Amino acid sequence: MHIHAYEKLWLAASILLILLLIGSVTYGAVGPGVAMVADGEPTVNAQALDEDERFSEPRVERVGENEYAAYVVAYQFGFEPSPIVVPEDSTVTFYVTSRDVIHGFEVVGTNANTMVVPGEVSELTVEVDGSEEYGLICNEYCGAGHHVMEGKVNVVSQAEFEERNDGGDGA
């Protein structure tokens, strides 16, 4: 059986395209910045978030040199605190939970994107640079008002952050 040179060329190109497709899907699944929600984080009682020290008062607090923790509660149809204010040139770890149904948590323009399940705590870390305002959206359908569930993440100067947060140590 004789295979024409053009058929060999198309066969090689097809195999190469299949390998590139498999490679791109594999890279997208395990590439940098992509991680599943860890099972190691302790669960919370979604009906009693006001009794949990992390989520009773959603806030942003300093946890180290240029490191901050943001405790966020998603609910139908908003996020608390609103807006989330963080200082520029810092690393922010978001701890997000829901008090009612499954929500999404996406900081538009960053790699922060996770599913928020009642009783589970989603953890994701973002590095923020200069002053900017990011949109915050729910990207999981959560009910009739889903289309209006949005918020803001305001990246401000260190001085403005401290002014808004009584020294940046919580509050």
Side-chain angles (χ1 to χ4, degrees):
M1 178 172 160
H2 176 69
I3 299 177
H4 195 273
Y6 286 125
E7 290 176 339
K8 289 179 184 178
L9 180 66
W10 280 110
L11 185 61
S14 299
I15 291 172
L16 180 64
L17 285 174
I18 290 169
L19 292 174
L20 285 172
L21 175 66
I22 292 171
S24 67
V25 169
T26 302
Y27 178 77
V30 297
V34 177
M36 299 301 290
V37 175
D39 288 337
E41 191 70 33
T43 60
V44 294
N45 183 349
Q47 270 60 53
L49 289 179
D50 54 340
E51 297 172 10
D52 186 285
E53 65 181 38
R54 297 174 296 172
F55 298 104
S56 61
E57 294 182 40
R59 67 201 176 281
V60 176
E61 65 183 16
R62 171 181 262 139
V63 294
E65 182 70 29
N66 293 328
E67 293 180 15
Y68 296 83
Y71 298 97
V72 182
V73 175
Y75 59 91
Q76 288 181 314
F77 298 99
F79 296 98
E80 198 179 339
S82 181
I84 301 169
V85 180
V86 297
E88 62 188 4
D89 301 321
S90 63
T91 301
V92 181
T93 301
F94 291 96
Y95 298 93
V96 191
T97 193
S98 169
R99 71 170 51 134
D100 43 33
V101 299
I102 294 175
H103 294 284
F105 182 86
E106 179 180 348
V107 181
V108 180
T110 71
N111 66 343
N113 183 1
T114 190
M115 181 182 285
V116 183
V117 179
E120 299 287 329
V121 178
S122 298
E123 177 184 341
L124 53 151
T125 302
V126 176
E127 292 183 13
V128 293
D129 295 327
S131 295
E132 192 169 344
E133 180 176 272
Y134 294 97
L136 178 61
I137 62 169
C138 174
N139 56 11
E140 294 284 336
Y141 182 74
C142 57
H146 167 73
H147 64 285
V148 297
M149 186 170 173
E150 58 185 31
K152 298 277 185 220
V153 176
N154 293 334
V155 181
V156 299
S157 68
Q158 183 68 38
E160 184 177 345
F161 176 78
E162 289 176 4
E163 179 181 307
R164 287 187 181 193
N165 291 291
D166 301 327
D169 295 323

